[in-house]
Amino acid sequence: MNAQDKPKAPTMPVSADLDEQALFFHRYPRPGKLEIQATKPLGNQRDLALAYSPGVAAPCLAIRDNPDMAADYTARANLVAVVSNGSAVLGLGNIGPLASKPVMEGKAVLFKKFAGIDVFDIEIDAPGIEAMVSTVSALEPTFGGINLEDIKSPECFEVERRLREKMNIPVFHDDQHGTAIIVAAAVLNGLELAGKNIADVKIVTSGAGAAALACLHLLVSLGAKKENIWVHDIEGLVYDGRNTLMDEWKEIYTQKSDKRVLADSIGGADVFLGLSAAGVLKPELLEQMADKPLIMALANPTPEIMPELARAARPDAMICTGRSDFPNQVNNVLCFPYIFRGALDCGARTINEEMKMAAVKAIAALAREEVSDVAARAYSGESPIFGADYLIPSPFDPRLILRIAPAVAKAAAETGVAARPIQDFEAYLDQLNRFVWRSGFVMKPIFSAAKVSEKNRVIFAEGEDERVLRAAQVLLEEKTATPILIGRPSVIEARLARFGIRIRPNVDFAVVNPEDDPRYRDYVDEYFALVGREGINPEAARTIVRTNNTVIGALAVKRGDADALICGVEGRYDKHLSDVNQIIGKRPGVCAFSGLSLVISQRGAMFFTDTFVNYNPSAQEIAEITILAAEEIRRFGITPKAALICHSNFGSRDSESAQKMRAALKLVRQRAPELEVDGEMQGGSALSETLRKRAMPDSSLTGEANLLVFPNLDAANISLGLVRNLTDALHVGPILLGAAQPAHILSSSVTSRGVVNMAALAVVEASQPNLQFQS
């Protein structure tokens, strides 16, 4: 934000402890928050020859002949410059370019985290307009877009205007337009709730810096009338004839009036827009505002009026702030990554008003949709429903990129500023969805197969759990499965209402009530027939079928009342597995259950086994686990490449575990000769063909293994945990292998999206016969 938008120094004390933590965070384990990584292999002389001289000449000449080819041969199309002269840094004022560098690095991190956009932060010693324009415009060959940041007003207006005129790539001053887009979305939704028309409302502002004026410009574009806008700054009302602290951008909003201060002009106001300083809006002034006023107190860190004071003075008010500890946070990260994502992907030459308005409407519409579980967690586990306390989405709602980027790209194409208009928006959405969930690419064949399946009834043992309820809604919306939830109907209904989930029990999905199921006696009889000779007497059977939801779900699958079971969201894994084993049992020819985990990281998909079941499997069991895992991997459309992992590398040790893995390899090759597999080998050899070839030049395994088979549960589970946490990888599973009918036991840390993934896989398993298996 610019200097006039916010105080130049924090008005609230910052704890020394937080300062120390921040300094440590920025210094260790290495200074700063960014690094540059190569995206191409540089493992040998040929790689170097291709990356630099002489191979680099070919793309250079191609770009010389056709500059548009830079998007094909370089990183420019996904590279943004975050540029600042440090003249108006958030809450700190004019601290200069060098001191602003941590902020600009932070902005770069947000671009990468939220939209996958690469950024160079560029801090320039250019306090004047001419120096800023000449320096930034000279950067055009390097970047696909320019994000101006923390430049003081009014110079920022002229800098951006001149750069937009000179440059043929998007130039976007986020302090202006990012704030304006989110404010406009909140205003549209607030006025809708109040039943008001934007053309009729009175808007009163406190603050006339870059952000405030950009907000007003955009609201005017959306239909607000200039004569209904009353602008105030440190000198009071911006009125006709005023000469002090005036410029051409404020001049647009002058009023012909003898009023001079905020208290004089706020009467009857429908919207208060504050981008000024703490405490400017007094509670008594709120009493003069119109019915159902929208109060946007956006000064940071302390707003123009604290929400509790505003609520006490006007219970009917809708309130937005710039703080994360109150509802309706106006945070620029809601839009700037996704606006640039859409603009870069279509090769936009600018970001015009139509593209900004498309972003406004996309954000406003998203707030009216049901809230995702990720957004719910951002609100301390509560699920806000569209209303006074939820006018705009959470900054962590993963759907933002799916709504804003395509809307911006479409607007760019429709207005003729897209150099590479997106031709297939369905494919583009699929690409964005893969970025959002990371599981999208690997899971796509599973979801495609699940949608055409007739055996799609999935019963959930923990039907009252919020994650299961959210997953049920997604499964129904995406037509992936027909959920059956085990739980008390009254509890399910109450939690659906609490979390703002619109699906309804016994309307959209079936409910099995453990306390009153008409099939209870039949289930008891079935259960006792299965376990009556395992120490379970009739009375115990009746109690278990009434109280154990995993038993109920397993019996439903066994009897054909459901096609697959999902359990384990709550409780111990081994207890759930015991219930599944007693009722559903193992596939013919299978000796033991096993657990397969899919890990998706930036390097791709990797399968680990056995991560949850067998403590110390025998060579025969490891061979069986490997073949079952390979069979499951093929469901994903992936060709399995198995490596039997050990501390020994192709006979370098002769320990018990090394001998076991060698024996397992022989058995796998006998039973599944078509499977690409080798071992025993160390983890490095499994992931690097170069290392593997040094130890075993004639290894039958090519490339990088995607199925890692471990000698025991300790090795597998520890490796899984370390990889997940060190690489921020996504875990899909555990996938239970060897069951006679589809059943999966999840972990207590699973997310609702994880539940959806496993339900889709269970549907596919129910509809497809087992591919092949030899005992």
Side-chain angles (χ1 to χ4, degrees):
M1 305 294 279
N2 61 73
Q4 293 187 27
D5 291 333
K6 292 188 172 69
K8 292 189 177 182
T11 59
M12 296 178 66
V14 178
S15 72
D17 181 60
L18 181 61
D19 285 349
E20 283 297 321
Q21 291 180 42
L23 291 172
F24 184 88
F25 174 87
H26 281 79
R27 189 171 185 178
Y28 298 101
R30 56 186 294 184
K33 299 187 284 283
L34 298 171
E35 67 177 359
I36 297 175
Q37 290 187 344
T39 60
K40 296 295 190 293
L42 296 171
N44 52 46
Q45 185 60 43
R46 180 170 179 79
D47 291 342
L48 293 174
L50 292 171
Y52 196 52
S53 179
V56 76
C60 288
L61 294 175
I63 295 169
R64 180 200 63 183
D65 298 336
N66 180 4
D68 290 341
M69 298 304 292
D72 295 320
Y73 295 130
T74 75
R76 182 176 186 260
N78 194 51
L79 187 62
V80 167
V82 172
V83 183
S84 180
N85 64 0
S87 59
V89 178
L90 173 62
L92 301 174
N94 189 355
I95 61 174
L98 182 59
S100 76
K101 188 171 180 63
V103 179
M104 304 312 131
E105 284 190 357
K107 193 68 176 280
V109 170
L110 296 180
F111 266 109
K112 187 67 174 180
K113 172 69 176 178
F114 287 96
I117 294 172
D118 295 317
V119 165
F120 287 144
D121 63 292
I122 299 179
E123 297 75 31
I124 58 177
D125 187 6
I129 292 175
E130 292 295 335
M132 281 283 291
V133 171
S134 62
T135 302
V136 176
S137 62
L139 299 173
E140 183 168 350
T142 301
F143 296 99
I146 304 290
N147 182 101
L148 300 175
E149 193 76 15
D150 292 345
I151 304 167
K152 69 185 180 72
S153 173
E155 287 90 335
C156 60
F157 297 113
E158 182 66 11
V159 168
E160 185 189 41
R161 182 184 65 78
R162 290 172 58 177
L163 287 174
R164 285 166 59 93
E165 290 174 354
K166 291 187 68 172
M167 303 182 77
N168 204 34
I169 59 175
V171 177
F172 188 81
H173 186 203
D174 183 46
D175 297 334
Q176 294 181 54
H177 308 302
T179 302
I181 287 166
I182 304 160
V183 164
V187 169
L188 287 182
N189 280 345
L191 295 182
E192 178 178 314
L193 286 173
K196 299 177 182 179
N197 190 314
I198 193 170
D200 302 326
V201 298
K202 179 179 179 180
I203 302 171
V204 175
T205 75
S206 174
L213 294 177
C215 291
L216 296 178
H217 296 340
L218 193 52
L219 291 175
V220 169
S221 297
L222 291 168
K225 303 296 185 185
K226 291 180 182 178
E227 56 266 28
N228 294 335
I229 297 174
W230 297 69
V231 178
H232 304 77
D233 61 12
I234 195 169
E235 289 292 321
L237 180 69
V238 175
Y239 61 88
D240 188 24
R242 192 182 112 174
N243 297 315
T244 306
L245 288 179
M246 290 296 292
D247 54 54
E248 62 181 286
W249 296 279
K250 288 183 191 175
E251 194 73 36
I252 299 171
Y253 298 104
T254 55
Q255 286 281 357
K256 294 183 178 181
S257 173
D258 57 0
K259 298 175 180 178
R260 293 295 181 264
V261 295
L262 184 65
D264 295 335
S265 55
I266 199 167
D270 300 282
V271 178
F272 169 81
L273 175 59
L275 285 151
S276 54
V280 167
L281 184 62
K282 306 301 181 184
E284 56 268 23
L285 298 183
L286 292 183
E287 299 174 4
Q288 303 177 38
M289 295 184 71
D291 291 339
K292 298 180 181 178
L294 174 59
I295 301 165
M296 310 201 73
L298 306 182
N300 261 326
T302 306
E304 285 78 2
I305 186 169
M306 293 300 289
E308 59 268 23
L309 293 177
R311 184 74 68 201
R314 288 298 299 267
D316 62 335
M318 295 168 281
I319 306 164
C320 300
T321 72
R323 292 170 49 146
S324 61
D325 52 347
F326 294 108
N328 295 322
Q329 183 193 10
V330 175
N331 187 326
N332 288 15
V333 80
L334 271 166
C335 69
F336 74 79
Y338 317 121
I339 289 173
F340 270 97
R341 181 73 279 159
L344 292 172
D345 290 340
C346 69
R349 293 184 292 272
T350 186
I351 295 175
N352 57 29
E353 289 300 304
E354 291 82 0
M355 294 162 72
K356 288 186 282 186
M357 284 192 282
V360 170
K361 293 174 182 177
I363 294 170
L366 181 56
R368 303 185 193 110
E369 297 183 25
E370 288 79 10
V371 180
S372 70
D373 65 317
V374 177
R377 288 200 299 272
Y379 281 84
S380 302
E382 296 297 323
S383 299
I385 302 171
F386 178 58
D389 288 332
Y390 187 63
L391 298 174
I392 47 179
S394 161
F396 294 96
D397 193 321
R399 299 169 299 175
L400 284 162
I401 192 172
L402 304 177
R403 305 295 187 272
I404 298 173
V408 168
K410 284 181 181 178
E414 291 168 357
T415 55
V417 299
R420 302 185 304 276
I422 293 171
Q423 303 298 323
D424 186 344
F425 270 93
E426 184 175 344
Y428 182 52
L429 282 169
D430 187 54
Q431 172 187 329
L432 294 175
N433 193 61
R434 292 201 300 271
F435 171 78
V436 170
W437 297 118
R438 290 182 297 172
S439 61
F441 180 76
V442 176
M443 294 299 297
K444 187 173 179 56
I446 299 298
F447 280 97
S448 297
K451 286 184 179 180
V452 300
S453 172
E454 294 181 358
K455 289 189 174 184
N456 67 350
R457 298 169 301 164
V458 180
I459 190 164
F460 295 88
E462 295 87 6
E464 298 174 1
D465 190 279
E466 177 189 357
R467 292 163 292 178
V468 172
L469 295 172
R470 293 189 182 282
Q473 176 167 299
V474 173
L475 292 168
L476 287 166
E477 287 179 347
E478 298 181 355
K479 299 180 180 179
T480 301
T482 301
I484 304 169
L485 273 54
I486 303 175
R488 295 159 293 177
S490 60
V491 174
I492 290 175
E493 288 182 0
R495 292 183 179 178
L496 287 170
R498 175 186 174 191
F499 300 132
I501 303 172
R502 71 168 185 269
I503 56 175
R504 293 294 171 260
N506 297 317
V507 176
D508 301 304
F509 61 91
V511 174
V512 175
N513 182 2
E515 298 174 349
D516 185 20
D517 186 354
R519 300 166 298 185
Y520 171 69
R521 293 185 182 278
D522 293 335
Y523 275 35
V524 170
D525 292 342
E526 181 85 19
Y527 183 59
F528 185 72
L530 292 168
V531 302
R533 294 183 179 275
E534 296 180 14
I536 304 295
N537 60 37
E539 182 178 350
R542 288 190 290 270
T543 300
I544 290 171
V545 175
R546 183 75 77 188
T547 59
N548 188 321
N549 288 8
T550 298
V551 168
I552 296 170
L555 287 168
V557 173
K558 181 76 171 179
R559 289 169 50 85
D561 296 333
D563 300 307
L565 166 67
I566 299 293
C567 62
V569 175
E570 300 170 2
R572 288 172 46 187
Y573 188 96
D574 57 347
K575 181 62 174 69
H576 290 287
L577 181 60
S578 175
D579 293 332
V580 170
N581 187 31
Q582 282 185 325
I583 298 166
I584 292 177
K586 304 181 188 72
R587 280 169 53 181
V590 171
C591 298
F593 291 108
S594 58
L596 175 68
S597 289
L598 165 59
V599 175
I600 306 168
S601 66
Q602 291 185 346
R603 67 183 297 146
M606 189 78 64
F607 294 85
F608 289 56
T609 199
D610 170 19
T611 52
F612 276 84
V613 180
N614 296 285
Y615 293 106
N616 188 23
S618 65
Q620 291 77 10
E621 288 171 331
I622 289 174
E624 177 182 280
I625 289 168
T626 304
I627 297 169
L628 286 171
E631 175 186 293
E632 193 71 19
I633 291 170
R634 293 188 182 99
R635 296 189 194 277
F636 293 83
I638 297 173
T639 300
K641 295 185 175 185
L644 275 57
I645 306 297
C646 187
H647 68 282
S648 174
N649 207 35
F650 299 105
S652 64
R653 300 288 184 91
D654 202 32
S655 63
E656 182 180 343
S657 61
Q659 293 178 25
K660 179 171 68 173
M661 298 307 275
R662 288 175 212 151
L665 176 65
K666 292 180 180 179
L667 292 172
V668 171
R669 286 176 167 169
Q670 290 172 6
R671 299 176 186 176
E674 79 291 344
L675 176 61
E676 190 173 326
V677 59
D678 208 346
E680 85 285 8
M681 69 180 75
Q682 296 173 352
S685 296
L687 301 181
S688 169
E689 186 172 34
T690 301
L691 290 177
R692 186 166 60 251
K693 292 297 185 183
R694 287 176 186 170
M696 184 56 59
D698 63 347
S699 173
S700 56
L701 185 63
T702 61
E704 182 178 292
N706 56 23
L707 171 58
L708 304 183
V709 182
F710 293 89
N712 55 51
L713 185 61
D714 280 343
N717 195 274
I718 291 170
S719 298
L720 172 65
L722 290 173
V723 169
R724 286 179 62 185
N725 287 281
L726 290 175
T727 64
D728 193 27
L730 176 69
H731 176 221
V732 178
I735 303 166
L736 184 62
L737 303 179
Q741 293 172 278
H744 293 292
I745 305 164
L746 309 184
S747 65
S748 58
S749 62
V750 71
T751 64
S752 68
R753 190 67 191 184
V755 176
V756 170
N757 286 336
M758 293 306 299
L761 181 59
V763 167
V764 174
E765 291 172 342
S767 62
Q768 295 179 356
N770 294 318
L771 303 181
Q772 63 177 1
F773 179 70
Q774 292 178 313
S775 61

